[in-house]
Amino acid sequence: MIRPIDEVRARVASQKTLLPGFYGKIDFDRTPERFTEDPAFAVARDRNPLGVSVSQDDLDRVRAYTMLGDIVADAYAALIPQFGFRRLIDMLVTACERGIDAVPDAPPELAAFIAEMEATPDWIDMDLVREGQRLDRNAAAHLGPFAIRGAFVATFLNKYSALPMALTGTLGAETAAKRVNETAAFFTTTLLPGSLDRHGEGFKAAAMVRLMHSMVRFNALRSGRWDSAVYGVPIPQVDQMPAGLIPIFLMSFQMLRQGRRSFTPAERAKVELARYRCFLLGLPQDLLADTPEGIVRMMTARDSTLRRGFDDETCGALIRATLDAYLPPDESPANRLHDRIERRFAKAFFLRHFMRGDRKRAASMGIEVTPADEATFIVVALLVTLQMKAFDLADRLPVLRHVADAAMVHRIRGLLKRYGHAEFTTDAASYRPTNAKAAA
């Protein structure tokens, strides 16, 4: 059910009384600087792309969700002073793996957190989710290892949405590598068979990501370096849309460009997977449309109200740290070669998909794309495309489908070993000042 806008606003305002330790000093009636009514100042200037018009209700909804964190996960993270962050993590892991009854003296905040994730809504079709997992394994196995860095860099293009990462001290190559690999591990884990079931690894990973985000909010708001009048709340619901929805947004946009208005069964399954994964991460149905027009409309509403802004100390430092990061688990000759190839691919991938080929703009951010990078991109893209098409063909043949899928699962498990164990934690001691305005 799509919440009435007044109900959304009431839920946002309730954070102040429900979680005074988090949000007691935030004025929820004030629109933060990051939100702009005028698309001329926004990341996206067109509110009518391909004839899909953003409504005033869409804009009001995005404005509200710009100030919403994650009430149940935030309430649990607020227990840090009482239990310590390591104990909170251990209790959450136990609750995910063995159930809430397996946690001795489980705090009610943990029970509420788990209960919300367990309550799969009736607008999610789990059979479609499982089919979406199967279909997405091909891209994750072949394209994922080359595209993850470039896609991760794209999250740092805006100072308003990138600031939480800057505050957490994710400015060094080593820390950046950890975050890239954790992100890759999360999305890859959610594609394993059964991983999104109640006691699956993907379910647990989503819970850990939510807790990490809440820990960032807790520590950022306590740090004295967060100006809510400028940035709103750290990691609001609308800033989680790109990570969860970009693939299906790009797919939907391309469909509309081709004149198509309905998904094929395979496309619909991929959409349902993305929607359920976003639900587990705490996003509301309001932001998770299930039609091409709805997906494009809501993402456009978000991007056409997010004020443009690039701060080199925040955004530039994050981009450079991510590009400098060495992602492989060791420095064997094979891994060093993969690293060189993957870095070149990532830069060209970023230029093409997120900079629209604007080399000058990319260079201003510290990304110099050379002819060798472009050549590497073309060769790798060709090889990846051929691999993916071969497995698509095998998937259409009943006699080969299960064999091909088993090969994909094996490949994905190998990638997870490469990405390493994801901790999904944040250490307040590493938080550092930025050029952000001092908190009022």
Side-chain angles (χ1 to χ4, degrees):
M1 182 184 71
I2 304 299
R3 296 175 185 266
I5 188 62
D6 288 343
E7 185 178 325
V8 176
R9 290 172 177 147
R11 182 168 173 79
V12 171
S14 73
Q15 295 174 109
K16 197 176 186 73
T17 52
L18 292 174
L19 302 166
F22 263 72
Y23 301 115
K25 296 182 180 179
I26 292 182
D27 181 359
F28 286 102
D29 293 325
R30 178 173 183 171
T31 300
E33 178 185 303
R34 61 164 282 161
F35 185 95
T36 175
E37 292 278 5
D38 189 345
F41 298 104
V43 171
R45 303 183 187 188
D46 184 5
R47 286 186 179 159
N48 188 40
L50 303 175
V52 177
S53 298
V54 173
S55 69
Q56 186 59 49
D57 181 76
D58 296 330
L59 299 178
D60 292 342
R61 203 166 294 276
V62 168
R63 184 201 301 267
Y65 283 124
T66 295
M67 297 297 287
L68 182 66
D70 184 340
I71 292 177
V72 294
D74 290 349
Y76 185 56
L79 302 177
I80 289 175
Q82 179 180 346
F83 291 96
F85 82 94
R86 177 51 60 186
R87 176 64 179 146
L88 292 185
I89 291 169
D90 291 343
M91 288 192 293
L92 181 59
V93 168
T94 300
C96 288
E97 293 179 346
R98 298 162 50 199
I100 191 68
D101 292 338
V103 181
D105 301 317
E109 291 84 356
L110 175 59
F113 183 6
I114 292 296
E116 182 174 286
M117 292 187 65
E118 289 176 333
T120 303
D122 57 10
W123 48 268
I124 291 292
D125 184 328
M126 290 305 297
D127 288 334
L128 278 180
V129 170
R130 285 184 278 272
E131 177 66 1
Q133 288 177 292
R134 188 182 69 80
L135 293 170
D136 267 8
R137 287 197 271 270
N138 192 353
H142 294 113
L143 179 60
F146 294 99
I148 185 64
R149 189 196 305 254
F152 198 76
V153 167
T155 64
F156 304 140
L157 294 178
N158 184 274
K159 70 177 184 179
Y160 298 101
S161 57
L163 182 60
M165 289 293 282
L167 276 178
T168 58
T170 314
L171 295 170
E174 182 178 346
T175 312
K178 180 174 181 287
R179 291 304 183 209
V180 172
N181 282 325
E182 283 186 339
T183 301
F186 167 69
F187 284 102
T188 305
T189 297
T190 62
L191 299 181
L192 289 172
S195 65
L196 293 179
D197 294 345
R198 166 59 186 87
H199 296 287
E201 284 296 308
F203 183 99
K204 180 175 71 174
M208 294 293 289
V209 169
R210 287 179 73 165
L211 178 57
M212 178 186 69
H213 287 165
S214 290
M215 287 178 168
V216 170
R217 293 188 196 99
F218 181 80
N219 290 319
L221 291 170
R222 290 205 313 172
S223 70
R225 303 174 191 135
W226 187 269
D227 188 344
S228 62
V230 175
Y231 299 99
V233 303
I235 320 180
Q237 295 296 328
V238 292
D239 280 359
Q240 298 185 66
M241 292 173 67
L245 300 176
I246 276 293
I248 65 170
F249 167 72
L250 295 175
M251 179 178 73
S252 299
F253 198 88
Q254 183 62 26
M255 285 176 56
L256 296 177
R257 182 175 284 164
Q258 295 170 351
R260 291 199 292 131
R261 292 294 186 272
S262 59
F263 294 117
T264 65
E267 290 167 341
R268 183 68 186 84
K270 293 180 179 182
V271 169
E272 199 70 351
L273 168 62
R275 296 173 81 219
Y276 182 58
R277 193 159 45 197
C278 286
F279 160 77
L280 289 179
L281 291 174
L283 273 73
Q285 183 184 6
D286 310 39
L287 303 179
L288 304 176
D290 61 357
T291 65
E293 294 96 332
I295 292 167
V296 169
R297 195 183 75 248
M298 289 312 301
M299 189 67 79
T300 300
R302 185 261 183 189
D303 291 346
S304 67
T305 54
L306 176 61
R307 189 179 298 275
R308 288 196 311 275
F310 186 89
D311 180 285
D312 188 68
E313 184 173 336
T314 300
C315 304
L318 287 167
I319 288 172
R320 288 186 288 273
T322 304
L323 289 176
D324 289 343
Y326 183 80
L327 303 183
D330 58 53
E331 296 196 19
S332 67
N335 277 334
R336 289 200 300 270
L337 176 61
H338 175 84
D339 177 69
R340 288 196 292 272
I341 294 172
E342 181 269 328
R343 284 177 197 251
R344 290 186 182 279
F345 181 94
K347 289 195 292 181
F349 178 86
F350 175 80
L351 176 68
R352 288 170 177 245
H353 290 275
F354 299 102
M355 290 286 98
R356 298 181 180 179
D358 190 338
R359 292 176 178 273
K360 184 176 180 181
R361 184 181 173 206
S364 71
M365 298 175 179
I367 303 176
E368 295 282 355
V369 181
T370 67
D373 298 330
E374 289 281 11
T376 299
F377 176 87
I378 292 171
V379 172
V380 172
L382 177 61
L383 293 175
V384 166
T385 299
L386 290 174
Q387 288 177 311
M388 291 179 63
K389 285 188 178 297
F391 275 89
D392 279 341
L393 178 60
D395 186 63
R396 297 190 184 102
L397 302 174
V399 70
L400 293 178
R401 171 176 292 185
H402 295 299
V403 175
D405 189 52
M408 289 297 92
V409 171
H410 178 76
R411 166 76 169 156
I412 284 175
R413 291 192 186 281
L415 288 175
L416 287 172
K417 291 181 181 179
R418 183 182 186 86
Y419 297 144
H421 174 70
E423 296 180 353
F424 301 118
T425 61
T426 178
D427 180 5
S430 68
Y431 283 32
R432 49 163 286 168
T434 70
N435 274 343
K437 298 176 183 178

